Amino acid sequence: DKSRNKWRALGPHSKYLGCFALESEAERAVRDSYRATGRELPEPRKRVVKHRGVSFRKTDCKWRARGPGGKHIGTFEAESEAVEAAREAFRATGVDLVDL
């Protein structure tokens, strides 16, 4: 939680485990929660920007497309749809995302 400088921990099935002052405390809570259920802890996700103008919204599990100036284009179920929408929005302004 960036506003309170705390680490939010989520266990299996996104179960809320609490907020912690230290990252190591949050990691421990997540590990313990997975161990208690017998489930394997998933690999951490790396945040990588693959496509300009496209991001993933965790709140509704959809892909968001934005055009020039951050203008909202729409939300999509598939990443490929969001990429195409963002590319078309940039092309309409004369910018080809392949060149960026």
Side-chain angles (χ1 to χ4, degrees), residues 22-33:
L22 300 174
E23 181 180 15
S24 60
E25 293 172 334
E27 287 176 351
R28 187 177 313 113
V30 171
R31 268 195 316 272
D32 292 347
S33 177

Side-chain angles (χ1 to χ4, degrees), residues 43-75:
E43 290 294 317
R45 294 183 218 157
K46 292 182 181 179
R47 295 188 181 255
V48 177
V49 175
K50 292 185 192 177
H51 307 284
R52 184 171 178 194
V54 176
S55 60
F56 186 72
R57 287 181 14 170
K58 288 192 273 184
T59 55
D60 58 4
C61 295
K62 292 190 179 188
W63 292 92
R64 174 190 295 160
R66 293 190 179 271
K71 181 181 177 188
H72 178 77
I73 304 300
T75 55

Side-chain angles (χ1 to χ4, degrees), residues 3 7 11-12 16 20 40-41 43 52 55 61-62 66 69 72 74-75 78 83 85-87 92 95 99-100:
S3 65
W7 292 89
Y16 178 74
F20 300 87
E40 191 171 313
L41 185 64
E43 290 294 317
R52 184 171 178 194
S55 60
C61 295
K62 292 190 179 188
R66 293 190 179 271
H72 178 77
T75 55
V83 169
R87 282 185 179 157
V95 177
D99 298 333
L100 300 176

Side-chain angles (χ1 to χ4, degrees), residues 52-54 65-66 81-91 97:
R52 184 171 178 194
V54 176
R66 293 190 179 271
E81 295 175 89
V83 169
E84 189 55 36
R87 282 185 179 157
E88 288 191 24
F90 277 92
R91 272 190 214 122
L97 288 182

